[in-house]
Amino acid sequence: MVKIIIIALDPPPNVDEVEWIENRFYELNGLVSGFKIGLPAVLKNGLESYKRIFKDYKGLLIADFKLADIGDIMSMSAEIIKSYGFNAMIAHSFVGYSNAIDKLSKKAKDLGLKLILVVSMSHEGSKEYIDGHLNDFLQIAVKANAWGVVAPATRVDVIRNVRSKVGKDIKILSPGVGAQGADFGSAICNGADYEIIGRSITGAENIKEKATQIIKTIEERVKICRGLQ
Ligand code: BMP
């Protein structure tokens, strides 16, 4: 089984967030490329409670706090992110390059953190402002030597456009399959490297079984779209 999905660990309200994340990590570790932790997981408990869970994890561990600030402050956040064991972090590219992403990129390199920049989003509102600047954001991603970009599975034309502009050197991470309506496998078939999946797996009754089934669906779809079947 090829590892092509990243699990978004966003605990819903009224659960014990630490227990919820720990359960899902142990069920899915080994099946997936990595895990992404966002604000719902950390606003109440902070990062300390999760450190133990991911201590020896060797896959992608992404801090998704969508940093969007001046470079010096984002760099301070990057130091903290690194100190809690993450190996990748997501920032917004709309803050621009000068004194923002340039500094964060340098800090990421110094710390050995993978920098992932949001260049388009999966919700409708992305068309109102963000998508009109896609080319600018892609230029920032290339200039900053970003490891990856986030682009939406809900608009695969955007993924194709991103891939045609950034070539093979930058990873495309794509949310929007499952709970947000896009078909499993559709992002990878259109040029993404990973599909980010949250609720359709993390909310399932049998999490491991659901993940295995979804991965199989993606693999089959990708075989067909790549003409291997
Ligand atoms: P879900 O599969 O439950 O819809 O989760 C998608 C995940 O991807 C969430 O963690 C969300 O924050 C993230 N995400 C997104 O949905 N759209 C984007 O454009 C960027 C994201 O990071």
Side-chain angles (χ1 to χ4, degrees):
M1 205 179 277
V2 200
K3 292 186 184 167
I4 38 178
I5 67 173
I6 294 167
I7 299 292
L9 290 171
D10 299 314
N14 307 319
V15 298
D16 176 326
E17 291 88 356
V18 179
E19 193 184 306
W20 188 95
I21 288 197
E22 188 162 18
N23 284 344
R24 279 145 189 84
F25 173 67
Y26 287 119
E27 289 287 325
L28 299 168
N29 182 7
L31 273 184
V32 303
S33 300
F35 295 89
K36 181 178 85 62
I37 307 278
L39 292 175
V42 302
L43 286 177
K44 205 162 88 192
N45 302 296
L47 282 170
E48 188 61 39
S49 10
Y50 302 108
K51 209 172 176 177
R52 159 187 69 80
I53 302 174
F54 297 102
K55 191 166 55 72
D56 299 316
Y57 185 57
K58 298 279 181 282
L60 266 177
L61 188 59
I62 306 172
D64 180 12
F65 309 133
K66 294 197 177 64
L67 305 180
D69 209 325
I70 59 170
D72 291 338
I73 307 302
M74 290 195 289
S75 297
M76 289 179 197
S77 298
E79 298 261 6
I80 297 169
I81 284 168
K82 173 72 184 183
S83 74
Y84 281 94
F86 291 96
N87 50 33
M89 65 181 163
I90 299 183
H92 270 297
S93 48
F94 64 66
V95 291
Y97 188 72
S98 287
N99 271 332
I101 297 299
D102 55 351
K103 287 195 171 173
L104 184 63
S105 160
K106 184 172 180 315
K107 179 58 76 176
K109 194 170 172 218
D110 292 347
L111 293 169
L113 274 176
K114 292 180 167 73
L115 176 62
I116 301 164
L117 295 177
V118 177
V119 294
S120 174
M121 295 189 72
S122 58
H123 65 303
E124 274 295 300
S126 187
K127 293 186 205 159
E128 293 167 19
Y129 169 75
I130 294 180
D131 286 10
H133 297 269
L134 180 65
N135 287 337
D136 301 326
F137 297 157
L138 290 175
Q139 276 177 22
I140 291 173
V142 170
K143 212 159 136 187
N145 242 318
W147 176 81
V149 294
V150 174
T154 46
R155 291 191 305 289
V156 291
D157 53 315
V158 176
I159 300 179
R160 282 202 299 275
N161 188 6
V162 171
R163 179 55 79 209
S164 74
K165 304 244 164 71
V166 302
K168 291 251 173 284
D169 291 342
I170 295 185
K171 305 282 184 209
I172 300 176
L173 289 72
S174 203
V177 294
Q180 294 180 52
D183 291 336
F184 296 112
S186 59
I188 293 183
C189 278
N190 284 281
D193 296 281
Y194 302 101
E195 295 191 358
I196 295 175
I197 308 179
R199 292 161 292 179
S200 27
I201 290 177
T202 60
E205 208 156 295
N206 187 332
I207 295 160
K208 198 170 192 165
E209 195 179 288
K210 186 73 177 178
T212 309
Q213 183 198 329
I214 287 176
I215 292 167
K216 211 163 151 237
T217 304
I218 297 176
E219 284 176 344
E220 277 163 12
R221 181 151 185 190
V222 170
K223 260 192 213 154
I224 293 169
C225 75
R226 292 188 180 156
L228 302 172
Q229 191 171 288

